[in-house]
Amino acid sequence: MHFKQLFEPDSSTYTYLLACDETRECVLIDPVIETAERDLAVINEMGLKLTCALETHIHADHITGARKLKALSGCKIAGPAMDELPCRDIGVREGEPFRVGGITLNPLYTPGHTDTHHAFLLEHGGLNLLFSGDALLIEACGRTDFQSGDARVLYKSIHDKFFSLPDETLVYPAHDYESRQITTIGQEKMRNPRLGRGKTLEEFVKIMDEMDLPYPRKIDFSVPGNERCGECPDNVPDEMKRLCEVSRQG
């Protein structure tokens, strides 16, 4: 398997490239519109074929690169079936493995940051790799104060779906704001200031309720844009409009 962790600095988003050695097919998890062409160039340089852009949830901090990647490469767009987005080609569900060549990703329904959020678990070479989306971050977690967020639900998702995995499970989040790239389930159970060392549900809810975070800078155009799989809405800033102009390669 080929694996790359790609970064978009403005929203501090990680996009993950996973490719099957045998078929050369690959998937991008949580692509960003600003770096869609860069990511596709990486894929082409590696001699791979992008078959799918896969979302963990409807993002509020950036516009997805899914629609642009589809226009440029002909790939399909996938994400939680619960979102019921007509622009997606594939709906993913917990209990239904998602396959790209010889790679199998197991969707985990993990609501709380949003009510349809899914993470993806990959078992490869004796290792568990968890692509946790925004649900679990490095010594943090996704915020729960907007877009159908619910701290009590997120606590249950993390404990039932993530903290039940082996401590050695490698965790690759959708974001990090301090130049960190990876964590483990064991580390988060010990060091996460919101969840670690046996924090109770009540303690977690109190922490989340008192965070007083600023209003998301891009939410007003990111959410409607992502509900259309990365089509820029009318209220997108002028400096971003060029990013929405795509033409198919070939």
Side-chain angles (χ1 to χ4, degrees):
M1 181 184 75
H2 293 283
F3 170 76
K4 278 189 177 293
Q5 184 182 44
L6 304 161
F7 189 64
E8 192 284 305
D10 188 55
S11 61
S12 296
T13 299
Y14 284 121
T15 296
Y16 295 98
L17 166 62
L18 304 173
C20 172
D21 280 333
E22 294 183 3
T23 66
R24 313 299 291 175
E25 295 175 313
C26 69
V27 60
L28 285 173
I29 300 175
D30 287 338
V32 180
I33 195 168
E34 283 91 338
T35 47
E37 292 185 37
R38 177 207 64 184
D39 296 348
L40 193 56
V42 170
I43 289 168
N44 291 336
E45 288 169 6
M46 295 175 68
L48 304 172
K49 176 179 174 54
L50 181 63
T51 60
C52 193
L54 175 62
E55 307 285 2
T56 54
H57 66 293
I58 294 174
H59 308 273
D61 55 4
H62 67 270
I63 293 180
T64 176
R67 182 182 289 270
K68 187 168 190 174
L69 289 165
K70 181 175 182 176
L72 293 172
S73 72
C75 73
K76 294 184 177 180
I77 299 174
M82 292 176 175
D83 290 330
E84 298 183 338
L85 299 185
C87 56
R88 287 185 183 156
D89 304 294
I90 302 169
V92 298
R93 300 173 178 84
E94 184 174 276
E96 298 181 5
F98 182 83
R99 295 184 174 87
V100 179
I103 297 170
T104 300
L105 292 166
N106 292 296
L108 300 177
Y109 176 45
T110 44
H113 173 62
T114 68
D115 57 4
T116 65
H117 188 286
H118 281 63
F120 298 99
L121 181 64
L122 169 65
E123 298 177 27
H124 179 75
L127 287 175
N128 284 331
L129 285 71
L130 175 66
F131 301 94
S132 59
D134 282 24
L136 181 63
L137 307 177
I138 299 174
E139 298 186 13
C141 63
R143 56 192 294 180
T144 57
D145 58 333
F146 66 89
Q147 202 186 4
S148 71
D150 188 313
R152 291 180 178 276
V153 173
L154 182 60
Y155 183 91
K156 179 175 174 58
S157 291
I158 290 172
H159 278 267
D160 292 355
K161 299 292 175 68
F162 295 164
F163 283 3
S164 61
L165 296 170
D167 285 353
E168 297 78 16
T169 301
L170 303 177
V171 180
Y172 293 96
H175 302 282
D176 191 75
Y177 307 97
E178 298 182 30
S179 301
R180 299 167 298 188
Q181 296 176 297
I182 187 173
T183 184
T184 66
I185 290 297
Q187 178 167 307
E188 294 310 308
K189 287 162 70 173
M190 289 294 294
R191 292 179 54 89
N192 194 303
R194 304 176 192 174
L195 293 148
R197 296 188 179 275
K199 287 280 194 309
T200 66
L201 172 60
E202 290 72 23
E203 288 174 317
F204 177 71
V205 170
K206 185 174 187 293
I207 289 169
M208 299 304 289
D209 284 348
E210 294 177 351
M211 290 187 69
D212 193 26
L213 295 169
Y215 187 72
R217 179 166 55 94
K218 297 183 177 181
I219 188 172
D220 290 334
F221 58 85
S222 289
V223 169
N226 291 330
E227 288 173 344
R228 298 196 292 271
C229 297
E231 179 182 321
C232 292
D234 292 340
N235 63 334
V236 72
D238 289 342
E239 63 270 19
M240 288 188 64
K241 288 180 179 178
R242 62 173 182 79
L243 297 170
C244 305
E245 299 172 2
V246 295
S247 60
R248 187 182 177 90
Q249 292 180 340

